[in-house]
């Protein structure tokens, strides 16, 4: 009999505890984000679409070697000896003429391994993530340009002349620390 | 029905001169039609409410896209269900397969005939009204078994068997809990039960024989919840065990019929509980019974019923499903002895002259009960607000 009563009491008590919890949640704000109309601002270190700033690339190919899925393709020639010297934004002289810099984002596994070895920090991941397409070919990004405006003076020598971001380039996320 | 009859005679005096069978039929058809339409549209409201309440309890938003705040979502769903093809699997017993849902719906709707929605707003006031409600709602068991058996599918059959076992078991404590009220009133007519609770909140059945009728109410609500096959007593359609139980094979309109029956049954049980224990269409304070010439009876009844439906939904989103043996344990070893004891004790108290009209402390118990319900709820709601503020502060950091 005492077991029966304790069972009964436990049943009622635990039910009431559960009901109190659901009741309390009835009055808390929902956490739903109405996605297409409301968006979450991604944290700055989000690993989304890759971007490469062509003007800063020295064509070293370290990103190609780092990529575990081989989705970066580079073709680079030695610059002619008589060509005007050009520099990347951090003052590294660009010795190679990068003919082709392609990234197949449909293969990319978003591991971010390619951005660490980049000596001029020209390859980085942006927070842009809504680039689903009906055509896989649209995930094949060609970053090489024919009309690139390279720096013709060494930015390190000309103190204060910081490289201006190329037009249309997504903001490189500011990473603290 | 009487109301419709009188209205018709007033609007068209020749109506009274027609043969009796014709006038009665017309009056019944009109009142029944209005009632059926209103109640059949109810599930649209309940489904929306259920989805919203469940969403809010889980910190979600629920349907938001169709119409403002997703108000048209259930209408869209209903249209979809009605337009979908009703699929008949090859091996089903076709006639029973169709008859099953029809019988379930009939059982759910039949009880509406005797429910007193107002002092005169009632299709028919049977002197065995309560018996009729119980009998009609157990009719749907037959429909469920038909549906489960005709589906020729073991999950459906399991669901149907379980539902039969469940409804048969829970009907006993339910009826015993009803008996306490019937004994006090001395009548099975729902209208008379409501009239015996006239004169304000302290006269409601819930507040007589202070702790006893509360227990009877709890027993009735639990058993009623089980009668509607709702969580935590939804083992007949336990989706994690039996796919969907007895309505596994149903689609389109027939599925909608099961749904409609379930929600209508919920409404019926809630209305019966309000009629028996919460004063039916009586206002808590007699002065609130009407605004000017407009009687608020139906509104009070629907408000009480909806409050009980809210509790049902609240329970559904709180508790997990019981196991079959636990279900039987609750019915036979907990509810039945309690209800039986109540019947005996209240029967005895009614015989003793000193306690024939209730305990001496009864007039004081309703504020205690209301406080016991309202204070924890308000406290939890305010606690939720504070909790929200704290969570916002943590997120902002």
């Amino acid at each position: 009999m005492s077991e029966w009563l304790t069972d009964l009491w436990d049943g009622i008590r635990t039910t009431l505890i559960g009901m109190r919890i659901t009741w309390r949640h009835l009055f808390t704000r929902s956490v739903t984000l109405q996605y297409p109309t409301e968006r979450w601002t991604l944290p700055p270190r989000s690993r989304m679409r890759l971007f490469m700033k062509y003007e800063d690339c020295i064509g070293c190919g370290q990103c190609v070697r780092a990529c575990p899925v081989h989705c970066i393709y580079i073709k680079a020639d030695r610059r002619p000896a008589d060509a005007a010297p050009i520099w990347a934004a951090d003052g590294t002289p660009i010795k190679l003429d990068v003919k082709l810099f392609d990234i197949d984002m449909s293969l990319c596994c978003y591991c971010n391994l390619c951005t660490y070895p980049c000596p001029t920090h020209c390859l980085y991941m942006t927070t842009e993530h809504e680039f689903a397409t009906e055509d896989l070919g649209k995930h094949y990004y060609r970053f090489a340009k024919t009309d690139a405006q390279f720096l013709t003076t060494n930015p390190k020598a000309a103190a204060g002349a910081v490289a201006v971001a190329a037009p249309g380039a997504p903001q490189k996320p500011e990473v603290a620390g | 029905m009487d109301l419709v009859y009188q209205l018709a005679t007033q609007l068209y005096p020749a109506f009274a001169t027609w043969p009796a069978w014709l006038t009665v039929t017309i009056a019944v058809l009109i009142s029944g039609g209005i009632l059926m339409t209103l109640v059949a549209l109810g599930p649209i409201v309940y489904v929306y409410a259920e989805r919203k309440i469940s969403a809010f309890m889980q910190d979600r938003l629920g349907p938001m896209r169709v119409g403002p705040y997703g108000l048209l979502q259930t209408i869209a769903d209903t249209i979809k269900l009605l337009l979908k093809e009703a699929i008949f699997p090859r091996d089903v017993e076709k006639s029973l397969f169709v008859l099953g849902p029809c019988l379930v719906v009939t059982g759910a709707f039949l009880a509406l005939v005797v429910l007193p929605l107002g002092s005169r707003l009632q299709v028919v006031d049977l002197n065995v009204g309560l018996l009729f409600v119980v009998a009609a709602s157990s009719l749907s068991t037959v429909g469920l078994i038909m549906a489960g058996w005709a589906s020729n599918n073991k999950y459906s059959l399991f669901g149907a068997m379980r539902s039969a076992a469940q409804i048969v078991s829970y009907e006993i404590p339910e009826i015993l809990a009803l008996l306490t009220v019937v004994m006090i009133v001395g009548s099975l007519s729902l209208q008379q039960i409501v009239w015996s609770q006239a004169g304000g909140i302290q006269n409601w059945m819930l507040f007589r024989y202070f702790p006893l009728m509360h227990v009877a109410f709890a027993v009735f609500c639990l058993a009623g919840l089980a009668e509607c096959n709702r969580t935590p007593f939804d083992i007949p359609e336990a989706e994690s065990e039996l796919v969907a139980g007895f309505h596994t094979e149903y689609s389109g309109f027939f599925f909608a019929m099961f749904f409609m029956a379930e929600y209508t049954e919920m409404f019926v049980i809630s209305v019966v509980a309000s009629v028996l224990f919460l004063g039916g269409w009586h206002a808590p304070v007699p002065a609130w019974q009407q605004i000017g010439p407009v009687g608020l009876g139906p509104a009070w009844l629907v408000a009480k019923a909806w409050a009980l439906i809210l509790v049902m939904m609240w329970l559904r989103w709180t508790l997990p499903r019981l196991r079959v043996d636990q279900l039987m344990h609750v019915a036979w070893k907990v509810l039945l002895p309690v209800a039986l004891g109540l019947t005996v004790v209240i029967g005895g108290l009614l015989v003793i002259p000193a306690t024939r009209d209730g305990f001496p402390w009864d007039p004081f118990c309703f504020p205690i009960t209301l406080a016991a319900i309202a204070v924890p709820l308000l406290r939890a709601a305010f606690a939720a607000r504070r909790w929200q503020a704290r969570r916002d502060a943590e997120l902002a950091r």
Side-chain angles (χ1 to χ4, degrees):
Chain A
M1 186 66 188
S2 73
E3 198 194 349
W4 188 85
L5 283 174
T6 32
D7 269 2
L8 188 62
W9 170 244
D10 274 355
I12 295 170
R13 192 175 55 90
T14 48
T15 304
L16 290 179
I17 289 173
M19 286 174 84
R20 195 182 67 198
I21 289 171
T22 36
W23 181 260
R24 191 193 289 169
H25 277 271
L26 195 59
F27 292 95
T28 46
R29 206 176 309 132
S30 85
V31 292
T32 308
L33 198 70
Q34 297 270 352
Y35 169 59
T37 49
E38 305 172 356
R39 269 154 224 258
W40 183 43
T41 40
L42 292 181
R45 278 179 201 253
S46 307
R47 302 204 306 246
M48 299 296 154
R49 187 164 69 187
L50 273 169
F51 178 74
M52 182 265 189
K53 196 176 156 201
Y54 180 64
E55 286 81 358
D56 284 352
C57 182
I58 59 168
C60 63
Q62 291 192 62
C63 48
V64 179
R65 262 165 273 143
C67 182
V69 291
H70 309 298
C71 69
I72 307 178
Y73 314 104
I74 288 191
K75 211 180 265 176
D77 292 341
R78 184 178 289 277
R79 278 173 68 82
D82 55 342
I86 50 175
W87 285 272
D90 66 340
T92 320
I94 299 176
K95 301 276 177 59
L96 296 174
D97 190 8
V98 182
K99 289 268 167 37
L100 179 112
F101 194 107
D102 293 354
I103 298 180
D104 193 347
M105 286 309 286
S106 60
L107 296 181
C108 179
C109 67
Y110 303 91
C111 62
N112 207 20
L113 287 178
C114 53
T115 67
Y116 294 118
C118 184
T120 58
H121 305 294
C122 71
L123 182 64
Y124 49 85
M125 285 191 143
T126 60
T127 53
E128 171 62 38
H129 57 284
E130 291 157 325
F131 54 103
T133 58
E134 293 171 10
D135 180 11
L136 261 192
K138 286 181 182 160
H139 278 175
Y140 194 89
Y141 293 92
R142 298 168 191 279
F143 289 105
K145 314 185 232 188
T146 48
D147 57 341
Q149 299 287 313
F150 292 104
L151 295 178
T152 47
T153 51
N154 188 343
K156 254 188 191 163
V162 184
V164 188
Q171 186 67 43
K172 183 169 183 175
E174 290 296 327
V175 177
Chain B
M1 183 187 126
D2 298 340
L3 200 66
V4 173
Y5 187 85
Q6 284 173 15
L7 253 175
T9 38
Q10 274 174 15
L11 292 176
Y12 185 65
F15 184 73
T17 60
W18 291 0
W21 61 267
L22 191 61
T23 52
V24 168
T25 314
I26 289 173
V28 164
L29 279 182
I30 291 174
S31 50
I34 294 169
L35 190 68
M36 281 285 270
T37 316
L38 286 181
V39 176
L41 291 177
I44 292 178
V45 180
Y46 306 142
V47 170
Y48 177 73
E50 172 121 52
R51 293 179 69 175
K52 275 293 187 191
I53 288 170
S54 69
F56 293 153
M57 283 183 174
Q58 296 165 352
D59 291 356
R60 297 183 286 117
L61 285 175
M64 285 295 275
R65 291 277 178 236
V66 189
Y69 293 97
L71 272 170
L72 303 177
Q73 181 69 52
T74 22
I75 296 173
D77 287 348
T78 315
I79 292 169
K80 185 206 81 174
L81 275 177
L82 295 186
L83 293 181
K84 264 174 101 169
E85 182 194 359
I87 297 166
F88 293 97
R90 196 187 57 209
D91 289 337
V92 299
E93 178 76 40
K94 235 181 197 169
S95 51
L96 287 185
F97 193 73
V98 176
L99 199 58
C102 298
L103 218 63
V104 174
V105 171
T106 313
F109 276 78
L110 210 54
L112 292 167
V113 172
V114 293
L115 295 185
L117 297 174
S119 57
R120 290 159 78 201
L121 217 57
Q122 188 178 19
V123 177
V124 57
D125 183 21
L126 289 181
N127 54 0
V128 288
L130 210 49
L131 192 66
F132 182 81
V133 170
V134 173
S137 57
S138 51
L139 183 66
S140 55
T141 321
V142 182
L144 293 186
I145 294 185
M146 266 186 192
W149 187 70
S151 294
N152 202 357
N153 169 337
K154 48 188 156 203
Y155 290 127
S156 304
L157 190 57
F158 267 137
M161 296 307 251
R162 282 179 175 194
S163 113
Q166 177 179 331
I167 292 181
V168 167
S169 316
Y170 276 89
E171 224 151 52
I172 299 164
E174 188 189 0
I175 293 170
L176 285 173
L178 296 182
L179 266 185
T180 57
V181 176
V182 171
M183 281 192 302
I184 293 172
V185 180
S187 168
L188 280 167
S189 152
L190 289 167
Q191 199 62 261
Q192 277 191 33
I193 292 174
V194 175
W195 274 116
S196 72
Q197 306 175 59
I201 190 167
Q202 69 278 3
N203 287 346
W204 292 1
M205 283 298 164
L206 183 60
F207 304 116
R208 304 225 181 136
Y209 295 107
F210 171 45
L212 298 178
M213 289 314 276
H214 286 54
V215 179
F217 180 65
V219 169
F220 179 78
C221 283
L222 269 181
L225 194 61
E227 289 265 295
C228 314
N229 294 337
R230 282 179 63 80
T231 327
F233 303 110
D234 71 335
I235 55 156
E237 43 179 289
E239 60 261 35
S240 48
E241 303 161 33
L242 298 181
V243 190
F246 52 85
H247 56 60
T248 306
E249 302 290 354
Y250 285 91
S251 55
F253 183 63
F254 293 117
F255 179 75
M257 279 167 91
F258 277 120
F259 233 75
M260 199 162 76
E262 183 190 323
Y263 280 96
T264 310
E265 215 161 296
M266 235 167 93
F267 180 70
V268 167
I269 290 287
S270 307
V271 168
V272 171
S274 349
V275 163
L276 291 177
F277 292 96
L278 302 178
W281 40 263
H282 283 302
V285 177
W288 299 349
Q289 190 59 48
Q290 51 191 13
I291 299 177
V294 185
L296 291 179
W300 279 113
L301 183 70
V302 168
K304 288 167 189 172
W306 282 7
L308 288 178
I309 286 178
L310 172 73
V311 174
M312 281 175 155
M313 291 178 177
W314 182 11
L315 271 172
R316 171 168 181 181
W317 297 103
T318 302
L319 297 176
R321 184 182 310 123
L322 294 180
R323 232 166 37 215
V324 182
D325 62 313
Q326 290 169 334
L327 188 93
M328 290 298 148
H329 177 96
V330 172
W332 292 104
K333 293 189 185 167
V334 180
L335 292 185
L336 184 61
V338 168
L340 210 57
L342 272 176
T343 321
V344 172
V345 170
I346 289 183
L349 287 173
L350 284 169
V351 174
I352 301 168
T355 52
R356 183 171 296 146
D357 301 319
F359 292 134
W361 56 79
D362 278 349
F364 312 106
C365 79
F366 78 91
I368 301 171
T369 314
L370 289 185
I373 295 170
V375 168
L377 290 187
L378 287 175
R379 265 189 61 195
F382 283 116
R385 284 282 168 219
R386 277 200 310 273
W387 186 43
Q388 177 79 53
R390 204 166 68 227
R391 198 167 65 168
D392 284 348
E394 274 168 12
L395 281 176
R397 220 182 313 126

